[in-house]
Amino acid sequence: DGRKMSKSVGNVIAPKKVIDKYGAEILRLWVAASDYKDDIRISENILKQLSDAYRRIRNTSRFMLGNLYDFDPEKDSVAYDEMLEVDQYALHRLYGIIEKTRSAYDNYEFHVIYHALYNFCTLDLSAFYLDILKDRLYIFPPASVARRSAQTVMHAILDAMGRLMSPILPFTAEEIWKYMPGWNEEGESIHLQNLPVAETVWKNEALAQNWKLLLDIRGEVTKALEEARTRKLIGHPLDAAVTLSVDPESYKTLKPYAADLRFILIVSQADLTQDSLGEHAFQSEEIEGLSIEVAPSQGKKCERCWTHSPSVGSNEDFLTICDRCVGIVETLDIT
């Protein structure tokens, strides 16, 4: 109710009870998330929200750790210039987070650190980058440059996140460090490490502008897919083929990404055009000149990558997978 805690009133929330119910990390997170320049509030609802936020940070870290099981940073790291562009963009975002968070530590703005880490895990990683990576991590050959590029960036992100969260979430950071491949052979604690330093090569504003447009369009495609799902036109997004109609300036920016659009949008097929689409096309209210047509994807579902492709069934030796997966499987030493 916005009243101060008072023993006589009996509305005190004891730290021991919070620790017993939620754990010490949640209590620390509440302290860090509170802006001490204003009155500090605590309630069951606030603690539940912070518990959910902590779970997101932990699960995001856990996903990256799980996909680094076969990665040795000494042998498998990919140089920045050889990385895929989306990986370079992820490092650009990491550069911003490191700079923002280190500045917040210098100014004792701990709530800024909490919000920066949470938003990075939620918006940049879970909802975008890691979602796109799943195809590469699960489908491509283990030692391929594409997969190693993704692992190199995940390792850099996890290393930076662990160091940044260590003063606020010391147990969680130490647990991450314990399982970090290649970093912990000597058993040193993460609390003996320095805060991360943002590599200047990661900063790329021109690249960020292109990916901002791609992300904005991705958000509008999500709305169009949801509308198509409501109309029972598709079920899963991979059941869909989308056509994007954009203005000439956006077309010029997006054309180099045309072949990768289906992976960025996580659909089975994606086309780019400047032509007008049919009357049933989704008209974006956020991006001027953008319209999106959603149709059922062509071909059968590949049982390996789950995308729909007309090429499924065209190879007599691999009748249930697409030509992309056939090419990958033939390079692997499996029966």
Side-chain angles (χ1 to χ4, degrees):
D1 297 322
R3 296 181 297 170
K4 70 174 183 177
M5 286 198 286
S6 167
K7 286 183 181 179
S8 59
V9 175
N11 65 345
V12 172
I13 297 181
K16 180 68 164 60
K17 287 186 177 180
V18 175
I19 292 170
D20 288 343
K21 184 171 183 179
Y22 293 102
E25 297 287 72
I26 303 302
L27 186 64
R28 290 192 182 95
L29 198 60
W30 167 74
V31 174
S34 301
D35 184 357
Y36 54 80
K37 299 183 186 73
D38 299 320
D39 289 344
I40 297 175
R41 295 175 180 270
I42 187 168
S43 67
E44 276 293 320
N45 190 46
I46 289 172
L47 291 170
K48 285 177 183 175
Q49 288 176 349
L50 287 170
S51 182
D52 291 340
Y54 169 77
R55 195 175 296 112
R56 174 56 63 93
I57 293 170
R58 183 181 180 86
N59 286 344
T60 303
S61 303
R62 190 179 177 197
F63 174 87
M64 289 188 284
L65 270 179
N67 281 285
L68 290 171
Y69 73 95
D70 63 341
F71 180 75
D72 182 344
E74 288 288 323
K75 298 187 299 183
D76 301 326
S77 292
V78 174
Y80 179 84
D81 292 339
E82 297 174 18
M83 289 178 179
L84 276 68
E85 195 172 289
V86 67
D87 298 332
Q88 293 177 343
Y89 174 68
L91 289 177
H92 171 84
R93 295 294 300 150
L94 178 62
Y95 178 93
I97 293 299
I98 293 173
E99 290 285 280
K100 183 176 184 177
T101 306
R102 290 195 61 141
S103 174
Y105 271 123
D106 289 341
N107 294 299
Y108 302 98
E109 294 176 327
F110 304 112
H111 64 289
V112 172
I113 299 163
Y114 157 71
H115 286 294
L117 285 172
Y118 174 71
N119 289 335
F120 184 56
C121 286
T122 304
L123 304 177
D124 292 286
L125 297 180
S126 296
F128 169 60
Y129 181 59
L130 298 181
D131 203 21
I132 289 177
L133 280 198
K134 288 173 185 174
D135 182 82
R136 241 194 298 162
L137 292 170
Y138 303 159
I139 304 303
F140 278 65
S144 64
V145 172
R147 187 167 177 273
R148 293 304 191 199
S149 175
Q151 289 180 310
T152 303
V153 174
M154 284 194 301
H155 191 271
I157 290 172
L158 197 57
D159 175 64
M161 276 180 51
R163 294 169 189 253
L164 290 172
M165 73 171 72
S166 60
I168 292 172
L169 298 171
F171 291 155
T172 307
E174 186 76 347
E175 193 175 357
I176 290 170
W177 191 257
K178 180 181 174 183
Y179 291 102
M180 278 284 287
W183 255 218
N184 198 30
E185 276 83 1
E186 297 176 8
E188 284 192 347
S189 168
I190 194 170
H191 303 296
L192 298 176
Q193 314 305 318
N194 294 322
L195 287 176
V197 177
E199 302 284 346
T200 52
V201 70
W202 295 348
K203 190 175 183 181
N204 191 331
E205 294 295 345
L207 185 70
Q209 282 296 110
N210 290 349
W211 279 92
K212 183 184 184 307
L213 176 61
L214 284 162
L215 277 166
D216 290 343
I217 288 175
R218 191 173 186 264
E220 294 302 287
V221 169
T222 300
K223 296 176 188 176
L225 291 172
E226 188 57 42
E227 189 179 273
R229 189 184 291 112
T230 303
R231 291 190 282 123
K232 309 292 186 187
L233 189 64
I234 61 166
H236 192 275
L238 287 175
D239 298 338
V242 300
T243 303
L244 308 178
S245 175
V246 295
D247 60 56
E249 189 174 336
S250 296
Y251 185 84
K252 185 178 178 181
T253 302
L254 296 173
K255 185 62 178 172
Y257 301 94
D260 295 322
L261 276 177
R262 68 187 183 105
F263 304 114
I264 296 169
L265 303 175
I266 313 184
V267 294
S268 284
Q269 287 119 33
D271 291 312
L272 185 65
T273 183
Q274 297 182 73
D275 300 332
S276 297
L277 301 179
E279 59 181 22
H280 295 296
F282 174 87
Q283 303 296 325
S284 172
E285 297 178 0
E286 304 293 329
I287 303 176
E288 188 176 350
L290 173 65
S291 55
I292 305 163
E293 191 170 70
V294 180
S297 52
Q298 301 297 309
K300 296 178 182 178
K301 180 178 178 180
C302 172
E303 68 175 18
R304 187 170 183 272
C305 68
W306 292 12
T307 60
H308 293 249
S309 172
S311 65
V312 175
S314 61
N315 188 298
E316 293 183 0
D317 295 326
F318 304 98
L319 290 172
T320 58
I321 60 177
C322 66
D323 54 1
R324 179 177 70 127
C325 284
V326 167
I328 293 170
V329 168
E330 286 179 337
T331 69
L332 302 176
D333 186 21
I334 58 174
T335 303

